Amino acid sequence: MADVKAWRRWSVALTAFLAGTAALPVRAETILFVGNSFTFGAHSPVMRYRPDLVRDLNNEGIGGVPALFKTFAEEAGQNWTVSLETSPGKDLAFHYEQKRREIDGRWDVVILQDYSTLDAQRPGDPTRHAEAAGLIASMLRRANPRVRIELVTTWSRADLTYRTPSPWRGKPIDAMADDLAAGNAYALRRNPEIAGAIPVGQAWNRAWRDRVADPNPYDGIAYGQVDLWTWDQYHASAAGYYLEALVVFGKVTGYDVRRLGEQERAGRDLGLDPRVVGRLQAIAQAELTQAIP
């Protein structure tokens, strides 16, 4: 009987300890976002969303996808210090050549997002992309050999698929994102020190397949579906950037983004339909579950 009572006291004490530690904040980690308009949320309210939550290394007052990430982190009880260095229409080679002073430092995680076609002069060619990603990775690893670096795979552009001459003109809408994913796979083979790729473009493809989003904005948006692009059919809408942020957050942290729920704070702030918020969270988690070994 004494042993049973002792075991019960130990069990109660352990439960109390675990409950107490669950309430403790997660160890602070630093994350840096390096990219262009696809990261800072151009042509949408995401661009100026809560810049007070993040540190803009260019002092331009941008919140962007990094501020959505920070909002998700707070809701999930995670303590991240979030910084960003972004410039419109630029590729990773620009950031390495012109912004080394800003980004060269000791970071726990770095997210790299390149030009929408990988190479502005040779759309779809991953050579310049892989080289620049490797140079940035080597620089960052000198400051922190354990830094985790991830490449963002971005989305298909409707303008280049349906209207503007490009390698993707006339192809299925998901073809461009698949080619960009192949470009990131090439960069990872060339630079094994880079941890992996974040499948944002594949999540967009899934949203079209699952009829959450309309794949062709030029013929009208189907009832009950959302447009992931903004007015230029190139950059993302608030819903498109929201999906991007969900995929990035889920991939980096391993958190099941469905747990954020339909009433998630950033979604409400952006004016997204709670039902759309829930469906986008489900899309992001489904893609990440498939993507993560």
Side-chain angles (χ1 to χ4, degrees):
M1 180 64 70
D3 290 342
V4 171
K5 290 182 178 179
W7 181 87
R8 286 176 177 169
R9 287 195 298 270
W10 177 85
S11 179
V12 169
L14 177 61
T15 300
F17 171 77
L18 292 175
T21 56
L24 294 176
V26 175
R27 180 180 67 88
E29 294 189 84
T30 59
I31 184 169
L32 170 68
F33 288 77
V34 177
N36 51 46
S37 55
F38 279 19
T39 293
F40 68 64
H43 305 324
S44 86
V46 171
M47 180 174 175
R48 299 300 178 189
Y49 180 74
R50 295 298 308 275
D52 56 297
L53 295 178
V54 298
R55 185 166 64 111
D56 180 356
L57 301 183
N58 293 325
N59 297 312
E60 295 171 334
I62 288 171
V65 169
L68 299 183
F69 180 102
K70 176 65 174 180
T71 301
F72 299 160
E74 290 182 343
E75 293 172 299
Q78 299 185 14
N79 189 8
W80 287 86
T81 299
V82 182
S83 301
L84 64 117
E85 190 282 298
T86 57
S87 187
K90 299 300 194 297
D91 62 7
L92 289 179
F94 166 86
H95 294 284
Y96 179 74
E97 294 163 2
Q98 303 294 327
K99 294 292 183 176
R100 265 178 285 184
R101 184 176 67 177
E102 286 80 6
I103 65 177
D104 188 4
R106 187 177 182 86
W107 310 96
D108 295 313
V109 179
V110 177
I111 308 299
L112 301 179
Q113 179 260 307
D114 211 334
Y115 191 71
S116 64
T117 62
L118 297 182
D119 189 319
Q121 303 304 316
R122 298 179 178 180
D125 185 338
T127 307
R128 177 180 171 89
H129 166 65
E131 180 180 358
L135 289 170
I136 293 175
S138 295
M139 176 184 70
L140 296 171
R141 284 170 60 82
R142 285 194 291 272
N144 178 14
R146 301 183 65 181
V147 62
R148 175 182 169 188
I149 302 167
E150 296 270 358
L151 303 175
V152 176
T153 299
T154 55
W155 51 85
S156 297
R157 287 172 48 180
D159 62 327
L160 296 184
T161 299
Y162 297 112
R163 295 289 177 87
T164 307
S166 78
W168 301 284
R169 174 77 179 270
K171 292 185 177 181
I173 188 59
D174 56 2
M176 181 175 177
D178 289 343
D179 287 346
L180 297 176
N184 266 345
Y186 171 81
L188 293 174
R189 290 194 298 272
R190 289 277 303 272
N191 303 287
E193 70 276 17
I194 297 177
I198 302 177
V200 174
Q202 282 59 55
W204 278 46
N205 289 353
R206 183 182 291 271
W208 296 322
R209 289 196 305 270
D210 291 358
R211 300 182 183 276
V212 172
D214 192 302
N216 186 352
Y218 292 106
D219 63 2
I221 305 302
Y223 178 77
Q225 297 182 22
V226 298
D227 188 353
L228 295 176
W229 295 284
T230 190
W231 54 265
D232 62 2
Q233 320 307 343
Y234 170 172
H235 294 86
S237 63
Y241 289 122
Y242 188 79
L243 180 55
E244 176 185 6
L246 288 170
V247 177
V248 174
F249 183 73
K251 179 68 188 297
V252 170
T253 66
Y255 187 85
D256 184 339
V257 294
R258 295 172 299 182
R259 295 173 58 194
L260 295 170
E262 292 186 353
Q263 296 300 321
E264 188 280 318
R265 185 191 316 156
R268 291 202 316 270
D269 292 345
L270 294 172
L272 297 177
D273 182 333
R275 293 167 297 181
V276 169
V277 167
R279 295 174 78 188
L280 293 176
Q281 291 169 357
I283 288 290
Q285 188 60 33
E287 188 58 41
L288 288 168
T289 301
Q290 173 179 291
I292 298 175

